[in-house]
Amino acid sequence: EAQVTQNPRYLITVTGKKLTVTCSQNMNHEYMSWYRQDPGLGLRQIYYSMNVEVTDKGDVPEGYKVSRKEKRNFPLILESPSPNQTSLYFCATRGRLTRGDPELLFGPGTRLTVL
Amino acid sequence: AQTVTQSQPEMSVQEAETVTLSCTYDTSENNYYLFWYKQPPSRQMILVIRQEAYKQQNATENRFSVNFQKAAKSFSLKISDSQLGDTAMYFCAFMKHYDFGNEKLTFGTGTRLTIIP
């Protein structure tokens, strides 16, 4: 079964304490991306990766880092979290557009609260 | 840059009725995709329906259909015979057909739909 997993699903932390949200997909997709969802703003892209070792900023990258050392994993790193990073985070992946596969498949989401 | 506007923050309808959610977008692109995603209370993002801009025929998926008006840049979602399980937040989203590999989704702010028993 095609799947995107995220961990943890819920996290409460304090300002400045480094954290990592993991994301893994089992579809051998090259493209992966992170979004954050905030009330009244919809979902906005944080970072994306087009393949192993290829990452780039999305629309709201400040305060975040990513890495892509393996095709299946795309962790999101908050090195010094702040309260304005309290949000719902989604990892997503899709197949190649050239194969007519444009839909993003989302993970279950991670609810992060930074105190 | 593309923008997507959903002007109805909240809607409610009686079970079994038909409801239409509105979405407009702004783009200078000619080739793109449009999507409706559903987010139930579980928070999972679920694809409801997609439309390719080059296709004139409106997409349908069972009880869900769209009214795609390319010239007007309008993309509404119609839910027929609404069911309690349709209660969710609905997001309209736009994606360029080609953007150097990062064909990201640009989302609207969502419409919260409640189906009343």
Side-chain angles (χ1 to χ4, degrees):
Chain A
E1 178 191 355
Q3 205 168 19
V4 181
T5 58
Q6 291 180 231
N7 283 292
R9 296 288 312 279
Y10 303 89
L11 180 61
I12 300 174
T13 189
V14 296
T15 299
K17 186 176 182 181
K18 181 179 179 179
L19 66 92
T20 299
V21 183
T22 64
C23 173
S24 183
Q25 50 100 357
N26 65 358
M27 291 156 279
N28 201 38
H29 286 167
E30 293 168 348
Y31 181 90
M32 298 184 75
S33 183
W34 277 100
Y35 287 78
R36 64 178 284 174
Q37 181 182 355
D38 302 290
L41 296 176
L43 284 79
R44 295 173 293 166
Q45 190 187 55
I46 304 171
Y47 266 94
Y48 68 98
S49 171
M50 291 169 58
N51 212 328
V52 174
E53 302 291 0
V54 181
T55 64
D56 207 346
K57 297 175 181 178
D59 296 322
V60 288
E62 296 76 21
Y64 305 95
K65 287 177 58 177
V66 293
S67 70
R68 188 90 181 274
K69 299 188 188 309
E70 304 167 281
K71 204 171 194 179
R72 64 182 293 124
N73 296 323
F74 189 44
L76 179 69
I77 303 158
L78 286 71
E79 296 216 326
S80 184
S82 62
N84 64 12
Q85 292 179 297
T86 292
S87 187
L88 178 59
Y89 291 88
F90 287 99
C91 180
T93 184
R94 62 160 168 75
R96 292 186 178 182
L97 293 186
T98 51
R99 293 179 183 167
D101 190 7
E103 289 94 359
L104 273 184
L105 177 63
F106 286 86
T110 295
R111 168 69 70 187
L112 172 65
T113 301
V114 183
L115 301 175
Chain B
Q2 284 65 230
T3 59
V4 178
T5 301
Q6 294 179 250
S7 59
Q8 306 152 310
E10 294 187 17
M11 297 184 71
S12 61
V13 66
Q14 292 289 138
E15 189 176 6
E17 292 186 347
T18 295
V19 61
T20 299
L21 281 59
S22 301
C23 173
T24 58
Y25 58 95
D26 187 25
T27 185
S28 58
E29 302 290 325
N30 187 52
N31 202 2
Y32 49 87
Y33 298 97
L34 293 163
F35 304 87
W36 280 98
Y37 278 87
K38 169 184 177 180
Q39 187 179 47
S42 65
R43 301 200 308 265
Q44 179 69 50
M45 293 291 288
I46 302 166
L47 178 67
V48 175
I49 201 165
R50 94 175 196 218
Q51 175 81 40
E52 288 91 339
Y54 69 88
K55 290 186 178 179
Q56 293 187 344
Q57 186 172 6
N58 289 325
T60 62
E61 287 288 343
N62 300 313
R63 298 183 294 107
F64 298 87
S65 61
V66 298
N67 183 4
F68 173 50
Q69 301 289 328
K70 190 173 183 180
K73 296 180 182 175
S74 171
F75 183 60
S76 61
L77 175 69
K78 185 171 82 171
I79 305 173
S80 303
D81 185 27
S82 56
Q83 301 174 359
L84 297 179
D86 296 332
T87 291
M89 180 75 90
Y90 287 81
F91 290 99
C92 178
F94 171 100
M95 186 172 82
K96 286 184 187 179
H97 187 267
Y98 179 72
D99 196 10
F100 304 102
N102 184 31
E103 286 75 22
K104 69 179 181 185
L105 286 175
T106 299
F107 285 86
T109 53
T111 296
R112 185 172 302 280
L113 176 65
T114 302
I115 309 300
I116 302 167

